[in-house]
Amino acid sequence: MNAADLALLLQEANSAPWESVQSALDMVDGATHPRIGWLTTHLTQTKRGYWAAIAGATGDLPPPTTPDCAA
């Protein structure tokens, strides 16, 4: 796996519909439980942290900071 492959994997992990936290939340009907909000924040921060660490080690771009790429 090279840096480009890793960058694609990380992009998919954060934005692809089958991996996105936001896509899962979009399927929830009605009001969401407060714990879902906490889990969403935690997952997003964890994914970004891993992405940033790997990007730093490989010299690739850090994760995007726009909200639409948050989960």
Side-chain angles (χ1 to χ4, degrees), residues 48-64:
R48 286 181 174 282
Y50 288 146
W51 187 338
I54 293 169
T58 61
D60 201 21
L61 295 173

Side-chain angles (χ1 to χ4, degrees), residues 6 21 23 47:
L6 186 56
V21 173
S23 292
K47 288 170 112 180

Side-chain angles (χ1 to χ4, degrees), residues 2-69:
N2 61 33
D5 294 334
L6 186 56
L8 178 61
L9 176 67
L10 292 171
Q11 180 64 32
E12 287 180 355
N14 277 281
S15 302
W18 59 90
E19 298 286 351
S20 171
V21 173
Q22 187 60 51
S23 292
L25 289 175
D26 289 344
M27 291 188 274
V28 174
D29 290 330
T32 57
H33 190 276
R35 177 120 170 99
I36 292 175
W38 180 88
L39 287 170
T40 302
T41 301
H42 175 72
L43 287 171
T44 300
Q45 290 172 346
T46 300
K47 288 170 112 180
R48 286 181 174 282
Y50 288 146
W51 187 338
I54 293 169
T58 61
D60 201 21
L61 295 173
T65 58
T66 56
D68 59 330
C69 296

